[in-house]
Amino acid sequence: MTDTGDARALVSLTLSFRPLAAQIGPLRTLLSDLCKPHLADADGLSRLLLAAHELLENIVKYSVGEAAEFHLLLEAKATGLIVRLRTKNRAAPERMADARWRLDALAKAPNAIAHYDELIRESAGRRDVSGLGLARIPAETEMQLCYATEQDWLILTAEGNASERVNG
Amino acid sequence: MSAFSLTTVGGEGFQVTPALIDFNLRLVFTGSGDMNATGVINDYLKLVHEEAIRLGLAQVSCDFKQLTFMNSSCFKSFVVWIDTVKNSEIRYQIAFLTNPSLPWQRRSLEALRRLAANLVTIETIA
């Protein structure tokens, strides 16, 4: 993970909540309002919101139990902005196994876009769940996605760079 | 042959409005393609394909100028639709009309174009 030695937090948001689909839209709006003043261009904000949306939908769809966590950190460093998104939720054993399988395959893939294209081709003939949401994050946002587990908790972290708005 | 049968679908937060001009069908998407829209898009694109085949359409255009976001489940519905057209004996072109001020569109739709480069085009609209 990022060395935060010379970093200053521009936005730091930690949310513990019972995830509901109806909350994703308002949360996206909140994240947009918080981060937009610090980002140099619409593309940076678009990538951040896409990753946040997919991570939030992931916990809405697959978390078990009442509690889940969402963290956003937007930090300024000498080299630019660091965006870090993290979710933590409890997952059923079969969902945990599926997530690990998908995330391990993603980590092993030498090219995130080629891996995503392959998943798209494989998913075309299936009419069940998408299975594309997590792979979409590195392919379309250039953020790195990694995971950790703590017993039945799944922790996903997406991290990437963005350009900082220069005022004046 | 019966008349054009597609109607506007969706509701608050997401809507698709069809318009048939000559042999080109234009679908105007507005709002956010999120979890609430997934079922609507999935069902609608099946009807679009049936209608396109029935009417012998040359092209279906998806106008995304006012589509603020599309999640991966809605995206998957487009994957299935494009794959269906790709494997159909009768094919038609699919054009995505994008809004340059919504950068996610170009990124997401490029993946659909790579899925079927001979069927899918991406255009920018002002």
Side-chain angles (χ1 to χ4, degrees):
Chain A
M1 285 293 114
T2 307
D3 171 16
T4 56
D6 66 340
R8 56 190 168 89
L10 300 174
V11 180
S12 177
L13 174 72
T14 299
L15 188 64
S16 297
F17 67 128
R18 179 182 180 181
L20 298 170
Q23 296 164 336
I24 295 175
L27 277 172
R28 267 175 59 93
T29 303
L30 173 65
L31 298 177
S32 177
D33 290 345
L34 288 170
C35 297
K36 190 175 183 180
H38 304 294
L39 293 163
D41 53 51
D43 189 49
L45 182 63
S46 178
R47 288 187 286 121
L48 185 156
L49 294 176
L50 190 151
H53 191 111
E54 293 295 351
L55 288 172
L56 285 165
E57 278 207 4
N58 194 63
I59 56 174
V60 167
K61 286 178 183 171
Y62 301 116
S63 66
V64 294
E66 299 211 340
E69 294 178 17
F70 175 81
H71 305 269
L72 160 73
L73 182 63
L74 185 64
E75 280 185 327
K77 296 191 73 175
T79 52
L81 295 181
I82 302 292
V83 179
R84 188 181 309 139
L85 301 163
R86 189 163 71 91
T87 58
K88 182 176 179 180
N89 64 278
R90 294 179 66 201
E94 64 275 14
R95 169 57 192 162
M96 183 72 87
D98 181 67
R100 292 180 74 125
W101 179 76
R102 291 180 187 282
L103 290 159
D104 287 341
L106 186 58
K108 286 177 191 165
N111 182 306
I113 293 175
H115 178 69
Y116 185 51
D117 286 352
E118 181 62 28
L119 289 180
I120 287 172
R121 282 192 294 273
E122 287 174 6
S123 76
R126 295 202 316 263
R127 301 299 186 263
D128 54 0
V129 295
S130 138
L132 300 174
L134 295 180
R136 188 185 191 193
I137 293 172
E140 292 192 21
T141 72
E142 297 165 18
M143 297 174 84
Q144 291 195 328
L145 185 64
C146 61
Y147 79 97
T149 58
E150 292 174 1
Q151 296 173 331
D152 62 345
W153 289 86
L154 176 64
I155 303 162
L156 295 174
T157 304
E159 185 172 312
N161 301 304
S163 299
E164 186 173 8
R165 181 190 295 267
V166 178
N167 294 314
Chain B
M1 184 179 291
S2 58
F4 179 60
S5 67
L6 293 173
T7 58
T8 296
V9 292
E12 189 180 351
F14 176 78
Q15 203 166 66
V16 190
T17 304
L20 183 63
I21 302 167
D22 296 329
F23 281 90
N24 294 317
L25 172 60
R26 189 178 183 107
L27 305 173
V28 178
F29 291 75
T30 57
S32 178
D34 55 24
M35 289 173 79
N36 294 326
T38 306
V40 173
I41 291 183
N42 200 40
D43 294 343
Y44 197 69
L45 291 178
K46 289 175 188 166
L47 295 176
V48 166
H49 179 67
E50 290 171 7
E51 193 71 348
I53 296 297
R54 187 178 71 82
L55 297 175
L57 299 183
Q59 178 166 292
V60 177
S61 300
C62 299
D63 181 342
F64 281 5
K65 187 177 180 182
Q66 298 172 80
L67 184 68
T68 56
F69 185 72
M70 182 163 66
N71 71 3
S72 57
S73 299
C74 293
F75 179 83
K76 166 74 184 298
S77 296
F78 283 90
V79 169
V80 170
W81 176 40
I82 290 167
D83 187 63
T84 302
V85 179
K86 196 174 166 182
N87 293 307
S88 174
E89 287 184 12
I90 303 169
R91 297 179 186 178
Y92 48 91
Q93 295 295 306
I94 297 172
F96 289 100
L97 312 179
T98 65
N99 182 340
S101 65
L102 297 171
W104 69 266
Q105 293 187 351
R106 176 64 67 164
R107 288 172 178 272
S108 295
L109 296 174
E110 279 297 333
L112 295 179
R113 192 188 54 76
R114 291 193 297 270
L115 178 65
N118 56 338
L119 289 180
V120 175
T121 56
I122 304 171
E123 301 166 26
T124 300
I125 49 176

